[in-house]
Amino acid sequence: MKRTTLPRMTASATFGREPYVVAAAGALDAMPAQPARRSEPVDHPRAEGKLIARIEQADLPEGVPLIISKAGDRMAYNPSAINALDARLAYNIYVDFTEGQQIDGLRELGWNAKDATSRELYATVLDKIDRSGDAPGVIARVVELFGQARAEADAADARCPRYRWCTETGKHAEHTGETITATCQDAYGDPVLHATLMHWDDKGVRVGLLEHDLTPDEARTTLAELRAHLDAVEKLIDAAEAGE
Ligand SMILES: [Zn+2]
């Protein structure tokens, strides 16, 4: 693109560390317009009182990140000097413009973004729109990508399809259930008699009890032994109460 000598003025705001130098109004009028783009806005209610802007990327002289046409309805910026979001925010200092509801919405979201990552995201989307000239296409693709990300996140949160007792979510090969303990504690304040279900290999479901991984049959045997033991403990209590 042909480089012209441009008069300059300094923007009244800074984006990032450097105050941006913006070429004076009128400088852009010397530059040929880019071919028609699909991102060019059409009339819509919100355009009332605002200039319908045409924004494009351009190879501008060193130190000039963006230039604005005399009428203010056209802005060109150098994407290697200023990103698509900051260029719009700087332009907005001079001109109350609209690019149509969708792109205006992206600009507003970028302006209100709380963190650098979100700002970068909106800057990237706007950059893709400016590069492709296809705002509806880019926005549709972004919506689709967000939908996919949401679906993947939902799948990651999905409950185990194999076992009702399994607390693992998403894709997993080792199934583990919730660990339960007796409501009483030992003298150290630790819970006792941990028990859980698991299925970690091809041996089937195991019952975790007394630090063993037991088959259901083995677990029943152990439980019977524990019950017999508790009966024996109860006999000790009986003896204590009898005071004999
Ligand atoms: Zn599972």
Side-chain angles (χ1 to χ4, degrees):
M1 190 168 289
K2 196 173 149 238
R3 292 190 168 190
T4 44
T5 310
L6 301 165
R8 292 174 187 181
M9 59 187 179
T10 306
S12 59
T14 58
F15 293 98
R17 254 175 287 160
E18 304 296 326
Y20 281 118
V21 179
V22 179
L28 180 57
D29 297 289
M31 283 172 57
Q34 290 188 356
R37 288 165 168 241
R38 283 177 60 195
S39 64
E40 283 176 27
V42 291
D43 283 331
H44 62 81
R46 289 188 61 195
E48 222 170 290
K50 294 180 179 188
L51 277 172
I52 295 176
R54 192 173 71 218
I55 293 176
E56 59 202 62
Q57 297 187 342
D59 178 24
L60 300 176
E62 185 83 29
V64 179
L66 66 93
I67 54 180
I68 302 166
S69 70
K70 202 168 189 172
D73 60 346
R74 192 176 157 209
M75 186 272 275
Y77 68 97
N78 179 1
S80 56
I82 184 170
N83 73 41
L85 173 62
D86 286 348
R88 283 168 168 79
L89 298 178
Y91 177 34
N92 202 206
I93 293 168
Y94 302 100
V95 178
D96 188 16
F97 68 93
T98 177
E99 296 175 86
Q101 240 164 342
Q102 283 186 315
I103 305 182
D104 288 355
L106 287 170
R107 168 161 49 104
E108 277 167 32
L109 287 166
W111 171 247
N112 292 317
K114 301 245 183 311
D115 57 272
T117 310
S118 306
R119 279 178 74 94
E120 206 179 308
L121 177 77
Y122 294 114
T124 303
V125 174
L126 288 167
D127 180 74
K128 291 212 179 305
I129 288 171
D130 293 341
R131 277 176 203 278
S132 68
D134 180 14
V138 170
I139 289 167
R141 179 74 184 128
V142 169
V143 169
E144 188 188 332
L145 286 172
F146 271 103
Q148 276 174 16
R150 165 55 73 89
E152 277 165 25
D154 286 350
D157 288 340
R159 296 215 52 181
C160 178
R162 177 83 194 269
Y163 296 116
R164 234 189 235 281
W165 49 260
C166 178
T167 55
E168 302 291 336
T169 53
K171 207 173 171 199
H172 59 280
E174 296 189 339
H175 307 274
T176 309
E178 188 191 348
T179 297
I180 59 168
T181 61
T183 51
C184 56
Q185 296 172 341
D186 67 15
Y188 307 102
D190 293 326
V192 293
L193 287 172
H194 299 74
T196 189
L197 292 180
M198 69 202 91
H199 185 175
W200 288 354
D201 44 35
D202 53 4
K203 289 181 201 143
V205 179
R206 289 288 187 269
V207 181
L209 185 62
L210 299 173
E211 311 301 327
H212 295 293
D213 296 346
L214 308 170
T215 63
D217 272 356
E218 290 167 343
R220 286 204 182 280
T221 304
T222 301
L223 206 57
E225 289 170 13
L226 277 172
R227 284 208 176 93
H229 174 65
L230 292 178
D231 287 346
V233 174
E234 195 156 28
K235 286 203 171 72
L236 292 182
I237 298 168
D238 289 344
E241 284 175 345
E244 292 164 357

